[in-house]
Amino acid sequence: MRIVVSIKRYNPEKKPQAYTQEFSLDVKPTDRVLDVLVSIKENQDSSLTFRKSCAHGVCGSDAMIINGQERLACKTLVKDVAQVDNDRIEVEPLRSMPIQRDLAVDQGVFFDNYRKIDPFLRPKEKPPKEEYRQSQKEREQFEDPTKCILCSACYSSCPVIEAGEKKFVGPAASAQAARFAFDTRDVGIAGRLEELDTPDGVAACDNHFNCTKVCPRGIKITKNINTLKKSIKKHKES
Ligand code: SF4
Ligand code: FES
């Protein structure tokens, strides 16, 4: 089938404003949007810039907006976003992060916010000689957010971040805050209140659920945030 791919382009060295460029090409419905972008770069315009690495939904490099929604280009098939000949696929860079060039954004602000929640285990006791023991149930409490691949799709989709009125750390950072706060090996909520109980922390989430809808790993981000909010409240009342 033949499709038209409309790509938002930006190269500050050549043109101060972003613009849209269209490419027409033959593809298979089972091609991935990443394959389409690679084909455009190899055969039509070698200056087209985007990030990719694993091409299998693992590294989180190629999150972008495809037909208005944050997706991984390597996990989106042409048939998911175009059905008949001459259908258009619109591709744009993620929101709320500065564009470096074309579809590549500077994720610095995403990672700066991520670091604010101390995204590593802070052991509550001296590590044992062998391994930490945890029951299956204890492990399940924080399983969901461990699947994060740091793609920033949730950050881009968040209306609280886009509005810019609150300095929210963002959905991925909040979900990781839950990941460590609910790990029985960690100091937990009591030892993390300084990072978690701030106006810019999980409290800033307004429950729009956009992050949960776009997360390519299916993480129940908003649910994790709400559970953490309740646990912080309970801890402060006890
Ligand atoms: S929580 Fe989901 S959408 Fe957000 S960075 Fe992690 S994998 Fe990407
Ligand atoms: S290229 Fe690694 S997730 Fe798509």
Side-chain angles (χ1 to χ4, degrees):
M1 68 188 281
R2 193 149 188 94
I3 56 166
V4 177
V5 186
S6 167
I7 305 179
K8 190 164 172 197
R9 311 279 318 255
Y10 175 63
N11 179 353
E13 285 160 24
K14 294 209 166 144
K15 219 176 184 181
Q17 279 93 29
Y19 61 99
T20 300
Q21 189 174 2
E22 290 190 350
F23 300 89
S24 181
L25 69 164
D26 288 319
V27 297
K28 291 199 283 288
T30 48
D31 283 344
R32 303 166 303 174
V33 172
L34 181 61
D35 301 323
V36 174
L37 294 175
V38 170
S39 169
I40 293 171
K41 188 170 175 75
E42 286 179 353
N43 302 308
Q44 299 196 41
D45 186 344
S46 62
S47 73
L48 178 64
T49 304
F50 52 91
R51 286 203 186 92
K52 70 164 181 77
S53 183
C54 71
H56 289 286
V58 179
C59 72
S61 305
D62 63 342
M64 55 189 73
I65 298 177
I66 303 171
N67 282 4
Q69 186 183 307
E70 287 79 2
R71 305 170 199 252
L72 294 180
C74 65
K75 297 293 280 182
T76 306
L77 301 182
V78 167
K79 67 179 180 181
D80 297 334
V81 285
Q83 281 74 43
V84 294
D85 265 336
N86 295 317
D87 263 0
R88 286 164 62 88
I89 300 178
E90 291 184 1
V91 189
E92 298 166 79
L94 294 178
R95 290 174 266 249
S96 299
M97 286 167 277
I99 303 168
Q100 289 178 316
R101 188 179 290 195
D102 296 337
L103 303 170
V105 295
D106 179 353
Q107 283 179 286
V109 60
F110 169 81
F111 284 110
D112 287 348
N113 277 309
Y114 189 74
R115 281 184 207 104
K116 283 184 192 160
I117 58 98
D118 278 1
F120 46 80
L121 192 80
R122 286 166 34 184
K124 64 179 167 195
E125 58 205 24
K126 216 170 148 216
K129 278 205 181 105
E130 294 169 358
E131 74 270 24
Y132 279 108
R133 296 218 176 249
Q134 249 181 345
S135 70
Q136 205 168 343
K137 198 159 174 252
E138 286 171 336
R139 179 68 177 79
E140 278 165 11
Q141 279 177 349
F142 63 90
E143 168 71 19
D144 189 35
T146 62
K147 294 180 278 183
C148 178
I149 53 171
L150 299 171
C151 69
S152 311
C154 54
Y155 194 89
S156 166
S157 75
C158 178
V160 176
I161 288 170
E162 195 172 23
E165 286 155 20
K166 302 183 202 170
K167 303 234 169 298
F168 181 30
V169 290
S174 301
Q176 283 310 301
R179 180 254 173 271
F180 289 104
F182 297 144
D183 188 330
T184 51
R185 301 165 299 179
D186 192 87
V187 286
I189 288 166
R192 286 180 172 271
L193 275 185
E194 215 174 294
E195 294 88 36
L196 308 183
D197 189 29
T198 69
D200 301 337
V202 286
C205 170
D206 284 341
N207 278 316
H208 291 276
F209 279 86
N210 289 16
C211 54
T212 303
K213 281 182 209 142
V214 303
C215 176
R217 303 290 292 168
I219 300 170
K220 297 178 184 72
I221 305 172
T222 321
K223 186 178 172 200
N224 275 287
I225 295 174
N226 286 335
T227 308
L228 186 54
K229 277 182 188 170
K230 276 190 212 144
S231 299
I232 292 170
K233 190 166 176 271
K234 208 163 145 198
H235 174 80
K236 283 163 71 182
E237 285 168 359
S238 65

